[in-house]
Amino acid sequence: MHVTGTVPPSAPAPQETPAAPAPARQSPADPGDSGKHARRFGLPVATALVMGNIIGGGIFLLPASVAPFGTVSLVAFGVLTVGAIALALVFGRLAERDPRTGGPYVYARAAFGDFAGFLAAWAYWITTWVSNAALAVAAVGYLDVLIPVNDHRWTACLAALGIQWLPALANFAGTRWVGAVQLVSTVLKFVPLLLVAVGGLFFFDADNLGPFHTGDGSAIGAVSASAAILLFSYLGVESAAVSAGEVTNPRRNVGRATVIGTAGAALVYLLGTLAVFGTVAHDELVNSTAPFSDAVNAMFGGGWGGWVVALAALVSMTGCLNGWTLLSAQTPYAAAKDGLFPAAFARRKRGVPTFGVGVTVVLASLLTVYNYTSGSAKVFEVLVLVTTFTATVPYLLATAAQLFHLLSGRRELVDRRRLVRDAVVATVAAAFSMWLVAGAGYAAVYQGVLFLFAGVLVHAVMAARAKRMK
């Protein structure tokens, strides 16, 4: 593979879908993938990438974010888990069919053509760098437990920027360092999570749970609204699929890593959230900026436990940002190789698309500064709801691609022994994605649509350029 100015041929139209997946265009022979700092991921690291990206800043702050809805949000967690596992199964089956780097982008383009592929890539790219900004904001809440930074807006902003740039530097160092940081941080993050998830059950007090449903709306509406916020905690289900080109034996390992990582994260999530709800009084939890630290302090008294959890949470979030920073560059890289993103995104060193990493961290930094200077009291929630909408676009396109393959009658693309089961799973995943769009709320959909429409203009420019060069 060589990065040149030549634009590759357009993807076939839906009715011309190839009988077999196109061969992976990224190979170890790529000059940008060589050297001691570039290394492919095995099943353990791929699973750690999925779990590390799912279990990041979300779980450490979201119990406080959904507490205002009442314990009905636990129902939302259960529904969300079913949908997330359905998505994981869909991504696993799609990766078996087409194990190239890019995930939803690759699947949407192969099924529906260039424009659908571009929308998937554009929306997913937006999701990643907005998520990075949200993760950094969440991390500042735990840093404040160790070093007071939240009392001054600019101090908190600078801390969030520093937390974003450290993982970016690890990515610039190469995939070898990305994998090492991901594996270590994934192991370390389970210390506070298991401490609260398991230990909290021994200190559980039902009086701390508060009301089942707060507010004037319906319980179903509260489930949808809380699920829209909670989706942020499940972003990363597609991590192994997006980085399939860097995974050894991707047809086998991507699906396994996706399902194992998602199921493990779901179990930790449900136990951890339930334990926080049962150890921290509801009135305190609503206003908490570090709910897991508050849970440990409530369990053991004093502040030392909260400090330990805050430190581990910072390690976890830094590791999550490390993985998300890599993912944020992988989809634009795949799209750039097909001429749908600017060619600069295809630049790659030590196995990492360095230009994409740089652009992503700069955009996330600008968004972080904007949200702190705008004076929003709910910076994390605002960012989370935007990513909820943008994430559903590639998710929905990927599940639609799976349904397309199942219903198109192409026997060479479908395992007929699993046709009914795959169709049911894909339908559940698609319905789940549509439900999340409704739960994101008008404001999030409005902002998300503006982001998507900006992408339509970019696609028009890239398509015109490609046609002119033919």
Side-chain angles (χ1 to χ4, degrees), residues 140-165:
V140 170
Y142 280 91
L143 179 62
D144 189 62
V145 176
L146 304 172
I147 306 171
V149 293
N150 267 338
D151 292 338
H152 300 88
R153 181 185 303 172
W154 282 109
T155 303
C157 182
L158 290 174
L161 293 176
I163 291 169
Q164 289 177 47
W165 278 89

Side-chain angles (χ1 to χ4, degrees), residues 374-397:
S374 66
S376 174
K378 295 288 185 179
V379 176
F380 180 76
E381 284 81 356
V382 170
L383 294 176
V384 163
L385 288 174
V386 172
T387 63
T388 296
F389 172 76
T390 55
T392 57
V393 175
Y395 288 174
L396 189 59
L397 285 170

Side-chain angles (χ1 to χ4, degrees), residues 1-8 25 336-337 339 342-344 346-347 465 469:
M1 177 193 71
H2 299 283
V3 179
T4 67
T6 303
V7 179
R25 301 178 65 171
K337 294 301 296 178
R347 296 174 187 169
R465 178 177 178 273
M469 294 180 65

Side-chain angles (χ1 to χ4, degrees), residues 312-448:
L314 282 174
V315 172
S316 170
M317 294 177 187
T318 302
C320 186
L321 279 167
N322 173 68
W324 271 107
T325 301
L326 175 64
L327 290 188
S328 67
Q330 294 285 28
T331 297
Y333 167 78
K337 294 301 296 178
D338 294 325
L340 300 183
F341 258 56
F345 282 92
R347 296 174 187 169
R348 191 160 163 141
K349 294 181 180 179
R350 303 185 184 94
V352 175
T354 50
F355 181 82
V357 168
V359 171
T360 294
V361 73
V362 168
L363 288 173
S365 298
L366 292 174
L367 183 60
T368 300
V369 172
Y370 168 76
N371 277 279
Y372 273 107
T373 56
S374 66
S376 174
K378 295 288 185 179
V379 176
F380 180 76
E381 284 81 356
V382 170
L383 294 176
V384 163
L385 288 174
V386 172
T387 63
T388 296
F389 172 76
T390 55
T392 57
V393 175
Y395 288 174
L396 189 59
L397 285 170
T399 54
Q402 173 70 338
L403 288 171
F404 168 77
H405 291 308
L406 295 174
L407 299 175
S408 62
R410 302 291 296 274
R411 295 185 178 183
E412 65 274 19
L413 295 177
V414 177
D415 185 344
R416 300 186 68 83
R417 295 170 299 178
R418 299 193 293 186
L419 179 61
V420 174
R421 185 180 69 181
D422 287 349
V424 170
V425 170
T427 301
V428 170
F432 170 70
S433 299
M434 292 296 295
W435 174 57
L436 288 172
V437 172
Y442 293 107
V445 172
Y446 167 74
Q447 295 178 58

